[in-house]
Amino acid sequence: MQIKTMAEYAAEGRSPEVLFWVGCAGSFDDRAKKITKAFCKILNKIGVEFAVLGQEESCTGDPAKRAGNEFVFQMMALTNIEVLNAYEVKKIVTACPHCFNTLKNEYPSLGGHFDVVHHTQFLKTLMEEGRLKIEGGAFKGKKITFHDPCYLGRANDEYEAPRLLLEKLDAELVEMKRCKTNGLCCGAGGAQMFKEPEKGNKDINIERTEEALSFEPKVIATGCPFCNTMMTDGVKHFNKNTEVAVKDIVELLAEADDL
């Protein structure tokens, strides 16, 4: 699978349709790399011209900002903005809601004005344009529940795109009691992903996974690499990892298409 960088496009004097912002999780976390690959396979198959920054991409600064280090956040953000502006990037797609929220809502005040979309929004648009065809395939009739990522749902009011894609799989979509505007966090946001939880009666990801498992789904679908990690840990906690899969929506779409 050949994926071009923005530098390679610039050398050819061309611009891709979209820049894929991979993010730290999608670049370095072994589990999240599978999400990155699935998304790239889909884009490659339908002929979307996209590029990555490669070595020039740095963390958006989201964890630093959430942990209270505004100075480090601004330093990282300004470096990224300089790179993006140098390539005259207009449209960015990312599979991480944390990157999505930061690039979309927090970069403009620092001079970074880009059209930023989550990968589910981008795929929904491609589907509406007739460029992406989704077949039910392996997931026809299977019970799937979707966990809303905080930074996609409540922070950016996007609930429709992921569900529309899941419905196209002909699966039985069951909603958890706490969903959409009333969704429950997986426990990884606010830089909590990188530290041990405080003492308490129950970890938040265990609470959330318990709610998901109560519907006896075959798949817990996510749209965020952090949520994916937390829900996977929750499923392992209940020893259900052989019965219930935790997968990003793009992984389900790629599997349904045998990619």
Side-chain angles (χ1 to χ4, degrees), residues 5-35:
T5 62
M6 285 301 291
E8 287 170 325
Y9 267 100
E12 294 171 6
R14 298 192 305 130
S15 290
E17 181 181 338
V18 68
L19 167 72
F20 174 30
W21 186 277
V22 184
C24 301
S27 300
F28 301 114
D29 181 77
D30 285 342
R31 175 64 188 88
K33 282 179 194 174
K34 294 177 182 175
I35 299 169

Side-chain angles (χ1 to χ4, degrees), residues 43-178:
L43 297 188
N44 266 341
K45 191 197 173 196
I46 60 178
V48 174
E49 282 205 338
F50 71 100
V52 295
L53 283 175
Q55 297 286 342
E56 292 182 278
E57 183 186 304
S58 170
C59 177
T60 59
D62 166 77
K65 188 176 181 74
R66 303 297 158 230
N69 199 329
E70 183 66 22
F71 174 72
V72 169
F73 162 69
Q74 290 200 17
M75 214 162 56
M76 296 173 107
L78 290 167
T79 305
N80 286 329
I81 289 166
E82 206 173 313
V83 171
L84 292 166
N85 284 341
Y87 286 121
E88 298 180 353
V89 170
K90 300 288 186 288
K91 192 178 182 85
I92 300 172
V93 62
T94 178
C96 175
H98 295 257
C99 297
F100 165 65
N101 179 69
T102 306
L103 291 164
K104 180 175 183 275
N105 299 322
E106 286 161 357
Y107 273 32
S109 64
L110 297 168
H113 301 277
F114 315 106
D115 176 14
V116 189
V117 292
H118 187 250
H119 68 332
T120 56
Q121 295 174 322
F122 188 58
L123 293 172
K124 173 178 169 262
T125 303
L126 292 174
M127 188 178 69
E128 287 166 347
E129 289 172 354
R131 294 164 73 186
L132 174 66
K133 305 275 191 293
I134 299 173
E135 303 293 332
F139 300 99
K140 197 163 187 172
K142 286 192 176 170
K143 202 182 277 188
I144 296 177
T145 188
F146 177 64
H147 163 75
D148 285 286
C150 296
Y151 277 111
L152 182 64
R154 287 175 305 185
N156 287 285
D157 209 30
E158 180 57 81
Y159 305 105
E160 183 196 358
R163 286 172 171 82
L164 199 70
L165 294 171
L166 287 171
E167 280 164 11
K168 293 289 178 187
L169 291 172
D170 295 332
E172 184 193 340
L173 189 58
V174 291
E175 294 286 8
M176 286 185 254
K177 191 178 175 186
R178 288 177 284 193

Side-chain angles (χ1 to χ4, degrees), residues 153-218:
R154 287 175 305 185
N156 287 285
D157 209 30
E158 180 57 81
Y159 305 105
E160 183 196 358
R163 286 172 171 82
L164 199 70
L165 294 171
L166 287 171
E167 280 164 11
K168 293 289 178 187
L169 291 172
D170 295 332
E172 184 193 340
L173 189 58
V174 291
E175 294 286 8
M176 286 185 254
K177 191 178 175 186
R178 288 177 284 193
C179 65
K180 300 185 180 176
T181 51
N182 194 36
L184 180 69
C185 177
C186 72
Q192 298 290 311
M193 176 83 174
F194 309 103
K195 60 182 275 297
E196 290 305 311
E198 286 87 2
K199 284 188 172 63
N201 298 325
K202 188 195 285 186
D203 287 354
I204 189 168
N205 66 314
I206 303 301
E207 170 84 11
R208 187 55 164 164
T209 308
E210 210 168 31
E211 191 173 345
L213 292 175
S214 68
F215 292 96
E216 298 181 350
K218 283 287 175 202

Side-chain angles (χ1 to χ4, degrees), residues 235-249:
V235 169
K236 283 177 184 167
H237 173 84
F238 291 107
N239 295 314
K240 295 277 187 183
N241 38 314
T242 53
E243 302 160 43
V244 182
V246 180
K247 300 212 167 175
D248 190 274
I249 290 170

Side-chain angles (χ1 to χ4, degrees), residues 38-46 123 132 250 253-254 259:
F39 186 50
C40 292
K41 281 177 184 173
I42 291 170
L43 297 188
N44 266 341
K45 191 197 173 196
I46 60 178
L123 293 172
L132 174 66
V250 287
L253 297 180
L259 292 179

